[in-house]
Amino acid sequence: MPYFIRSYSNMSSPSPALATRLEAARAVVHDAAQMAMAMRPPPGGPQASQKSAQDWLTETDGAVEAFIANRMKALFPDDGFQGEEGGVARTGSLRWVVDPIDGTSNYARGRCRWCISLGLLDGDEPVAGVIDAPALGEVYTALRGYGAFLNGKRIQASPVKDPASSMIEMGWSNRVPKPVFMEKMDAIMAMGTMPRSGGCGALALADVASGRLDGYIEIVINLWDVAAALPLLAEAGARVSPFLQEGGLTGPATIMAANPHIAQAFSEAVSIPLA
């Protein structure tokens, strides 16, 4: 029985196929995370190439994606695979989606807020995910119907009910016009919340799942950034906008996630509907 389910003996057993895949993914991502740590630049100016303004690519991105792609192909040859750098390499009813380094701008400067994100979709439904932030010593895991976990301990969305006591993060992208960004940020601040921006969408969504944040919004974000986080959010009781239904399966889309208590107020403030 997988380590994250052992404490829940009153639960029925998960699908052996999905449980086996999540355990394997956790091990593969752990090895990839150690590779990324070994290749991590020292603190300082970015050691990376710039794809566009504030959009970086390091040697590690390609190496980690290739490592995970090869390992998962060897373990589950019939599964599909999609990566940020390589696109859709294989198709299958079960599909792995990887962001080899989420938060590359942080990684390229030797900072700690970055992660490796590997999610599993069954058709169009997110069913499992692993987010490993090795510089922080944190591993998030989730399996549909069996909870969300941080380092093996169950997590839940925040209980904060008053928006004026909440903490909300907004992701930045050069693909978002400045007036749109400022409109959403003004709406967040008008709620009386504390705005943040940490440069790593997958970890921000994981923070909503764990209660470290009360909400997160990013106007333009891709499937590989959120595939592992979506099962976390669902299992932790957070509410999320219909990212996949609004184009997120095939291209960039908007995501909003929040604890269940402020979700409606947050949704109305930023004019992004909830699922």
Side-chain angles (χ1 to χ4, degrees):
M1 184 178 293
Y3 82 105
F4 51 89
I5 297 176
R6 289 174 190 149
S7 299
Y8 299 89
S9 57
N10 60 327
M11 287 184 170
S12 60
S13 297
S15 158
L18 294 182
T20 297
R21 280 169 168 78
L22 182 55
E23 283 291 279
R26 187 173 65 90
V28 170
V29 170
H30 170 78
D31 291 346
Q34 298 311 301
M35 174 192 297
M37 286 294 287
M39 299 176 70
R40 183 184 179 200
Q47 296 188 22
S49 59
Q50 197 164 17
K51 295 189 284 187
S52 59
Q54 298 296 332
D55 189 4
W56 299 92
L57 177 66
T58 69
E59 180 185 0
T60 309
D61 289 271
V64 166
E65 183 168 315
F67 175 84
I68 293 175
N70 291 334
R71 286 281 294 273
M72 300 311 289
K73 182 178 181 179
L75 290 167
F76 308 108
D78 294 329
D79 290 359
F81 190 89
Q82 177 180 356
E84 178 181 8
E85 307 306 328
V88 178
R90 300 187 301 277
T91 58
S93 58
L94 291 172
R95 173 169 47 130
W96 298 97
V97 182
V98 66
D99 190 338
I101 302 289
D102 191 53
T104 306
S105 60
N106 291 335
Y107 179 84
R109 288 180 176 265
R111 300 182 66 177
C112 295
R113 191 168 176 77
W114 56 274
C115 66
I116 298 172
S117 172
L118 182 61
L120 179 63
L121 275 64
D122 184 353
D124 295 344
E125 183 179 2
V127 293
V130 178
I131 296 175
D132 194 327
L136 300 175
E138 296 185 344
V139 180
Y140 292 87
T141 56
L143 180 63
R144 183 182 61 188
Y146 290 90
F149 297 81
L150 169 57
N151 290 346
K153 296 183 179 179
R154 193 155 192 172
I155 54 175
Q156 289 184 308
S158 161
V160 170
K161 297 179 180 180
D162 181 4
S165 300
S166 65
M167 182 184 296
I168 289 175
E169 183 170 333
M170 182 170 181
W172 182 90
S173 170
N174 60 22
R175 294 172 290 180
V176 179
K178 182 179 177 182
V180 175
F181 182 89
M182 296 308 300
E183 173 193 337
K184 303 303 182 187
M185 184 60 76
D186 285 347
I188 291 169
M189 294 178 69
M191 295 172 62
T193 67
M194 179 186 291
R196 295 285 177 108
S197 186
C200 183
L203 282 181
L205 292 168
D207 280 348
V208 175
S210 69
R212 288 170 167 167
L213 283 173
D214 300 298
Y216 180 71
I217 176 178
E218 187 154 350
I219 303 301
V220 178
I221 196 168
N222 293 293
L223 179 62
W224 49 79
D225 298 301
V226 308
L230 290 173
L232 279 169
L233 292 162
E235 292 300 313
R239 296 194 65 189
V240 185
S241 62
F243 171 82
L244 298 178
Q245 294 79 8
E246 295 294 329
L249 277 169
T250 56
T254 295
I255 195 165
M256 188 204 83
N259 82 39
H261 308 290
I262 71 158
Q264 190 60 46
F266 186 22
S267 169
E268 293 171 1
V270 297
S271 302
I272 297 174
L274 293 163

